[in-house]
Amino acid sequence: MWWRVTIISLAYILLGAHFLRFDQHIMAIIAICLPLLMFIRHSFVRTLLKLGLLISVVFVWAVTTFNFIDMRIALEQPWLRLAIIMISVMIFTVFAAFSTNGLNQRLRR
C-alpha cells in the first residue's frame, strides 16, 4: 500500500512543480495538497484523485508536450529527448492514476 501512496504523491508533486514553473501558485498548492485526501477513506476520494491525474495528463502534460516540441522544431533544436521525457511523465501519471484502484481496500485493513 505504501507504494501506491508514494506514486500518487510523486505524480501530484510533479504536477505542482510544473505549475510553479509557470508561476501558477494557486494551482501548485492545490496539486500538492490533493494527495492529503488519501487520508479520507471514501470511494469518492479515489475517483477524484484518479480523475485529477487523468485530466492532468490530457490538459497539462499533453498540451505542454506539443507546445514545447513545436517551439523546439521552430527554433531548429533537437526535440526527441524532450518528447521521450514528456511521454515518460505522461506514462508515469497514468500509472499513478490506475494505482488509485486498490487504495481504499488497503486503507480499510
Side-chain angles (χ1 to χ4, degrees):
M1 201 270 308
W2 63 270
W3 63 271
R4 292 177 193 267
V5 173
T6 304
I7 290 173
I8 294 166
S9 298
L10 283 175
Y12 275 111
I13 289 171
L14 187 64
L15 184 64
H18 172 77
F19 286 133
L20 275 179
R21 184 179 190 280
F22 293 104
D23 291 329
Q24 297 175 346
H25 299 288
I26 294 173
M27 293 298 288
I29 291 170
I30 291 170
I32 291 172
C33 290
L34 274 174
L36 296 174
L37 291 176
M38 287 187 278
F39 290 114
I40 300 171
R41 296 179 180 171
H42 196 273
S43 62
F44 176 72
V45 172
R46 183 185 72 195
T47 306
L48 179 68
L49 289 172
K50 183 186 295 187
L51 282 177
L53 289 171
L54 292 176
I55 287 172
S56 73
V57 168
V58 174
F59 292 111
V60 176
W61 296 125
V63 171
T64 302
T65 301
F66 289 125
N67 288 339
F68 283 171
I69 289 174
D70 188 40
M71 181 177 59
R72 289 278 183 116
I73 291 172
L75 295 173
E76 296 179 357
Q77 294 180 346
W79 57 270
L80 185 61
R81 183 176 56 177
L82 170 73
I84 291 170
I85 292 169
M86 293 302 288
I87 289 171
S88 300
V89 168
M90 287 189 275
I91 290 171
F92 175 75
T93 307
V94 169
F95 178 69
F98 287 109
S99 293
T100 62
N101 285 339
L103 193 63
N104 286 347
Q105 289 83 11
R106 305 282 186 205
L107 288 176
R108 293 181 188 209
R109 289 183 182 177

